[in-house]
Amino acid sequence: MIRKLAAIALFSAMAIPGIAAAQQCEVTVNASDAMQFDVKEITIDKSCKEFTVNLKHTGKLPVTAMGHNWVLTKDSDMQGVVTDALAAGAAQGYLKPDDARVIAHTKMLAGGESDTIKFDVTKLTAGAPYTFFCSFPGHSSIMKGTLTLGS
């Protein structure tokens, strides 16, 4: 009976749009020309030592018009990273080089491109609030979500 309930709970979490159940220590996030991530919440299982994010830009527009990346910071660091990203400009992929507030990030993608990153889960604290977002100018207000490390 417990196994059946666990299976139902796992299936339910995976079937809810916009929520990624990450027991496999990996997630795929799609970004579109409509300035949307298809995942709004990611929970990393505490058993994961490393976590992989596969970002796919499903649109067709060029990077100069509708580039997307996936950036992870503490919730409290997001706005500062976004501000500094704008100053860094397109040549730096709209991220300040070697920004210690950035836990992980993909490269900036054009439509049809993809990128994969892996990061050390020990950089995260269980229960702490983290935000993932796109740092292309103007995108972070819409293209963002929450990431949580399970306790």
Side-chain angles (χ1 to χ4, degrees):
M1 181 64 158
I2 292 175
R3 284 185 185 162
K4 286 182 183 179
L5 290 173
I8 290 168
L10 176 61
F11 177 76
S12 297
M14 296 175 93
I16 299 171
I19 297 178
Q23 290 83 358
Q24 298 86 17
C25 304
E26 182 172 353
V27 68
T28 296
V29 178
N30 294 302
S32 70
D33 284 342
M35 281 181 33
Q36 295 291 319
F37 286 137
D38 68 340
V39 172
K40 302 293 184 196
E41 297 178 25
I42 298 170
T43 300
I44 300 176
D45 190 270
K46 66 181 180 180
S47 67
C48 296
K49 303 296 181 219
E50 184 176 69
F51 192 74
T52 302
V53 176
N54 302 299
L55 178 64
K56 295 181 180 182
H57 189 323
T58 60
K60 297 182 191 271
L61 294 173
V63 71
T64 54
M66 190 59 66
H68 296 313
N69 63 358
W70 187 94
V71 181
L72 177 64
T73 65
K74 290 180 182 176
D75 191 51
S76 60
D77 289 335
M78 179 189 160
Q79 191 54 54
V81 170
V82 167
T83 300
D84 290 345
L86 183 59
Q92 300 296 327
Y94 294 109
L95 277 177
K96 177 181 167 185
D98 302 317
D99 191 333
R101 299 168 297 182
V102 175
I103 298 165
H105 70 88
T106 65
K107 66 182 182 177
M108 189 65 65
L109 304 175
E113 294 182 330
S114 60
D115 192 23
T116 297
I117 57 151
K118 295 179 182 195
F119 63 92
D120 183 354
V121 174
T122 64
K123 294 180 179 182
L124 306 176
T125 303
Y130 296 95
T131 301
F132 62 88
F133 57 93
C134 175
S135 68
F136 191 91
H139 290 196
S140 65
S141 62
I142 298 171
M143 294 186 75
K144 65 182 176 182
T146 59
L147 184 138
T148 307
L149 177 63
S151 52

